[in-house]
Amino acid sequence: MTYDELKKLDSEYYMKTFGTRLPAVFTGGSGAVLTDAEGKEYIDFLAGIAVNCLGYSDEGFQAVLKGQVDSGVIHTCNYFYNEPQARLAQLLCEKTGMDRVFFGNSGAEANECALKLAKKYAYSKGKDSDRFVALKKSFHGRTLFTLSATGQEKFHEPFRPTAYDFTYIDANDMEAAKSAVTADKCGVIVEVIQGESGVLPLREEFVSLIRALCTEADVPLIIDEVQTGMGRTGRLLAQEHYGVKADITTLAKALGNGVPIGACLASGPVVDAFGPGDHGSTFGGNPLACAAGLYVTERIDDRMLSHIENMGAYFREQLEFLMAKYPEFIVGVRGKGLLLGAELSGKADAHAVQDELLKKGFVIGTAGGNTLRFAPPYIIMQKQIGLLIETLDRLFQ
Ligand SMILES: *Cc1c(COP(=O)(O)O)cnc(C)c1O
């Protein structure tokens, strides 16, 4: 099918949620390089929005998927035990220090589970409340509950009434945190680096304060690591950089390297709030998704994490070099590990830069606030980062 035929089919039959998409169709890939039907190559700095952490055609990953497919069983449902699910649950808990996990199929579902768990914990303590605290500029997903947790007015407007009663506070506003995080709340949900809104890291004092306030009020702290988790920032969880541990934390994007899976992990008393019948999923935690997750989790070892850290440091340095050279265009470089954002001034448009780079064979993302977002596969090489920087350099000249 040609690009134009595909575009026409999509415009006729797909809901209009994604509008006109970017002009490339990827049909193959190897390492951090994608190819289209004409054989044009693109170095990938988006990884399907921080998902394809092992890149493309990873031999071990493909062998695991093929093995599961060849077993003849992709899905069994949660009436039954399955080994990949139990093993992934154990490995994730061991690596994160959490006690228990629930698997869903996406980031939104992982957060939905987290919020429900917090609500059930409040209920089990006899707390008559539907109040939560979230941050402005957050993003937690597209289901009604997670949309409500998302502190961005534009997402709420057409869908009112939103679910539950969320108080949205500004990130890093210590006073607002002190007045909002009180014992009448069911939970507090934050991303330690706000990905969708422009790769905005929270300040350490703020995260420590939120942690302390939640502990004091016995309100579960939910850290949404759907984008930042599974090694993206150079640690398995981004909260490790802050020296805090959530009561509930969520994973999704990189966990399955493209096979849909989300995880909600919890520790401490909140874990026991769910009993039989409180939550569930038909597909969640199926053998295929968990085999994928298990392989990815095993691959994110110290060696991989230090590669992410090194490549991230080099990448950031190079972006800062560009910012120093073109202060009229680049006004901020933020992020950790291989989740980086470069904020542009009003003189450049992030989407136009994205389009231009795509033509030149680079896939990048954008985020809120006119920001270029970079979230390459973890296996990205210094040379590939260098090529992107050279191309950006020429673009801004
Ligand atoms: C992507 C994302 C989500 C939503 O994940 P889906 O898989 O699209 O439902 C939730 N939280 C954060 C921080 C994300 O980046």
Side-chain angles (χ1 to χ4, degrees):
M1 200 179 284
T2 66
Y3 171 76
D4 290 325
E5 286 165 347
L6 181 50
K7 187 174 170 186
K8 183 164 177 286
L9 211 56
D10 177 88
S11 75
E12 271 179 53
Y13 292 105
Y14 206 87
M15 289 202 191
K16 295 173 186 171
T17 46
F18 302 113
T20 304
R21 308 190 202 205
L22 291 166
V25 181
F26 304 120
T27 51
S30 174
V33 176
L34 281 161
T35 43
D36 67 15
E38 280 80 52
K40 179 176 169 180
E41 295 191 338
Y42 304 79
I43 305 178
D44 185 13
F45 288 90
L46 178 61
I49 318 185
V51 168
N52 303 325
C53 60
L54 304 179
Y56 306 95
S57 302
D58 182 272
E59 267 179 42
F61 183 70
Q62 287 184 317
V64 163
L65 292 193
K66 280 181 187 148
Q68 194 61 47
V69 169
D70 289 343
S71 80
V73 177
I74 300 300
H75 175 80
T76 59
C77 91
N78 286 301
Y79 291 173
F80 306 97
Y81 297 107
N82 82 69
E83 188 176 325
Q85 185 185 91
R87 289 181 56 205
L88 178 58
Q90 178 189 27
L91 188 62
L92 282 176
C93 286
E94 283 173 1
K95 285 199 166 199
T96 59
M98 303 301 270
D99 295 336
R100 289 181 186 276
V101 65
F102 179 88
F103 293 119
N105 309 289
S106 65
E109 278 179 78
N111 286 333
E112 188 83 16
C113 175
L115 293 161
K116 275 182 71 179
L117 181 63
K119 170 66 180 154
K120 181 72 199 300
Y121 178 63
Y123 175 87
S124 68
K125 291 197 307 172
K127 198 191 279 187
D128 179 21
S129 168
D130 70 342
R131 291 184 285 279
F132 286 83
V133 178
L135 301 186
K136 289 180 189 165
K137 296 192 176 177
S138 56
F139 183 82
H140 298 297
R142 303 287 194 157
T143 63
L144 194 51
F145 203 164
T146 59
L147 198 66
S148 305
T150 294
Q152 299 186 59
E153 196 55 31
K154 66 175 184 205
F155 288 115
H156 299 162
E157 191 43 39
F159 299 107
R160 288 192 197 290
T162 48
Y164 292 83
D165 180 359
F166 278 86
T167 300
Y168 309 102
I169 62 173
D170 280 313
N172 302 321
D173 185 337
M174 310 284 274
E175 289 313 311
K178 282 180 204 159
S179 21
V181 182
T182 45
D184 62 316
K185 301 299 192 302
C186 298
V188 175
I189 183 166
V190 303
E191 303 151 84
V192 289
I193 301 174
Q194 297 183 312
E196 298 300 309
S197 292
V199 192
L200 309 167
L202 298 186
R203 286 173 45 207
E204 260 178 59
E205 313 86 86
F206 182 73
V207 176
S208 306
L209 175 70
I210 294 260
R211 175 63 280 180
L213 291 168
C214 283
T215 304
E216 200 178 300
D218 191 20
V219 170
L221 171 60
I222 303 167
I223 301 186
D224 176 350
E225 297 243 19
V226 167
Q227 185 155 173
T228 53
M230 296 311 291
R232 174 57 60 192
T233 68
R235 301 279 172 86
L236 188 67
L237 300 178
Q239 59 198 270
E240 294 171 33
H241 293 289
Y242 290 82
V244 299
K245 189 177 163 206
D247 302 297
I248 307 175
T249 198
T250 53
L251 300 169
K253 288 192 164 87
L255 179 54
N257 193 41
V259 178
I261 181 169
C264 172
L265 291 138
S267 78
V270 69
V271 155
D272 298 316
F274 273 168
D278 283 329
H279 198 52
S281 172
T282 300
F283 296 122
N286 89 14
L288 182 76
C290 289
L294 189 58
Y295 182 77
V296 169
T297 309
E298 281 166 351
R299 280 285 297 277
I300 301 172
D301 55 8
D302 289 344
R303 218 172 113 225
M304 181 73 91
L305 291 173
S306 73
H307 179 74
I308 294 166
E309 209 172 6
N310 292 338
M311 289 304 106
Y314 173 74
F315 199 166
R316 199 191 160 110
E317 209 173 84
Q318 294 297 305
L319 288 171
E320 279 166 354
F321 153 81
L322 285 181
M323 178 164 68
K325 191 166 172 188
Y326 303 106
E328 71 277 30
F329 292 124
I330 305 178
V331 296
V333 171
R334 296 183 294 265
K336 267 200 159 67
L338 287 172
L339 178 60
L340 294 170
E343 187 179 338
L344 305 183
S345 71
K347 286 195 184 150
D349 174 57
H351 290 284
V353 172
Q354 182 185 38
D355 291 343
E356 209 43 50
L357 283 173
L358 191 65
K359 284 186 202 149
K360 295 185 162 30
F362 298 90
V363 181
I364 70 157
T366 58
N370 204 23
T371 303
L372 306 177
R373 174 171 36 174
F374 307 101
Y378 300 164
I379 51 157
I380 195 87
M381 310 293 267
Q382 186 160 321
K383 212 175 103 194
Q384 295 170 316
I385 298 170
L387 287 170
L388 173 76
I389 297 294
E390 276 171 33
T391 308
L392 274 170
D393 192 348
R394 260 179 272 126
L395 242 151
F396 285 124
Q397 260 166 33

